[in-house]
Every structure is written in structure tokens, then in C-alpha cells.
Amino acid sequence: MAVFFYGCVTLDGYLAAADHSLDWLYETGDASETGYDEFYSGMDVTLMGRRTFRELERAGDPAAVYPATENYVFTHEALSCPGFTAVSMDPVELVRSLGPARNIWVVGGNTILAPLLEGDLVDHLIVQVAPVLLGAGVPLFTQGEALRRFRLEEVRRYGQFAELVYSRPR
């Protein structure tokens, strides 16, 4: 099993605007400018929060975006989208229950990423940085004060995006 965070942040470290929208990202570029297709082809499971899922719904059909993975949404609400399962358990418990032979992608939600980082379950951070300063919003990292080290594996450029690929030292 490997757990990945793969996503884009602003230069000042925000995943989303204060209203949780991703308009800043859509106005900067699109996935075709990145290595997204190659990355997604190696994933078995996606994990996301309710707000990330709602943003997917706002942008179109979530099932069309993630057709080849098991998709879990952390929410207390029922979901009516095929291919997505609502879960309300602890992210650490869910990840551990998924078994050892799965590649798990934390799509969005710092409230999902933080406990996984604190539980030393995140193996790879693939962070694309967009040339945007929001000034306020939803930060990528909100975990506790514990020191976490990652090793820089690669730096790539995709159009206006810089991609930083980190792995947890073994």
C-alpha cells in the first residue's frame, strides 16, 4: 500500500479559496498540462472530503472524473452519485482497512490529510504549485506540531505549474 497526496496549491500554500472554490486553479491551467493521466492510472482508491466532492459536482460529473477508482467521500450526508461511497469513519482507520496492495490518493481535504500525516501513513507528496497568491483560504497543511520529513525526489515543470515530488524516507 502507498498513500499519495497529489494536488495543487497556490504560492502561498492554499488548496482552495476561503469559500472553498477552485476557480483560481481552473483559471490557471488544466490537468492536460500536467502528468495527471499517468498518475491517475496508477491509483486504486481516492479519498476526499465533502467540500472537495461538492466542488467536483459543481464542475460536472464526478463519476466521469474518477471512473477507474474506488471513491470514498468523508461526509455524514448521503451521496447520490454512482461510484462514490460516503464514509464517516476516521481516515486512518479507513486507510488501514483498505489493505496492503492498494495505491490510495488523498484528493483533497486537509482534514483528511492531517490525520494521515500524523499517523505516518502518507508515503508520497506530489504538490503542484500554481503562480497565484490568494492571501487567504484553505491551507494544505494543518497537522500538529510533530516533525515530518520527506525527501525531494523530482522537480518538474508543466506550463505555469511547478511540481514537487516528495517521498517519505524509509
Side-chain angles (χ1 to χ4, degrees), residues 79-109:
L79 299 176
S80 61
C81 183
F84 287 80
T85 302
V87 293
S88 58
M89 67 192 304
D90 177 65
V92 170
E93 289 176 30
L94 177 63
V95 166
R96 288 184 175 144
S97 75
L98 291 172
R102 316 287 293 282
N103 283 330
I104 301 166
W105 173 20
V106 179
V107 175

Side-chain angles (χ1 to χ4, degrees), residues 14-149:
Y14 295 109
L15 278 171
D19 65 358
H20 298 276
S21 74
L22 296 175
D23 293 340
W24 64 270
L25 178 59
Y26 303 141
E27 294 165 1
T28 306
D30 62 52
S32 67
E33 297 177 52
T34 68
Y36 170 80
D37 290 335
E38 180 182 350
F39 172 80
Y40 181 70
S41 70
M43 293 298 109
D44 302 302
V45 175
T46 69
L47 307 179
M48 67 191 75
R50 178 184 48 81
R51 288 184 178 127
T52 300
F53 179 75
R54 295 292 178 234
E55 184 63 24
L56 282 172
E57 282 186 316
R58 187 176 80 83
D61 176 16
V65 178
Y66 301 116
T69 47
E70 281 179 45
N71 305 294
Y72 295 93
V73 179
F74 288 87
T75 181
H76 296 288
E77 302 172 7
L79 299 176
S80 61
C81 183
F84 287 80
T85 302
V87 293
S88 58
M89 67 192 304
D90 177 65
V92 170
E93 289 176 30
L94 177 63
V95 166
R96 288 184 175 144
S97 75
L98 291 172
R102 316 287 293 282
N103 283 330
I104 301 166
W105 173 20
V106 179
V107 175
N110 57 8
T111 57
I112 298 165
L113 183 60
L116 296 175
L117 283 167
E118 289 170 359
D120 283 329
L121 292 174
V122 178
D123 301 294
H124 306 280
L125 297 168
I126 303 171
V127 181
Q128 294 165 352
V129 181
V132 175
L133 294 170
L134 282 179
V138 179
L140 173 57
F141 298 110
T142 59
Q143 79 283 356
E145 296 300 317
L147 177 67
R148 301 284 180 251
R149 292 201 185 273

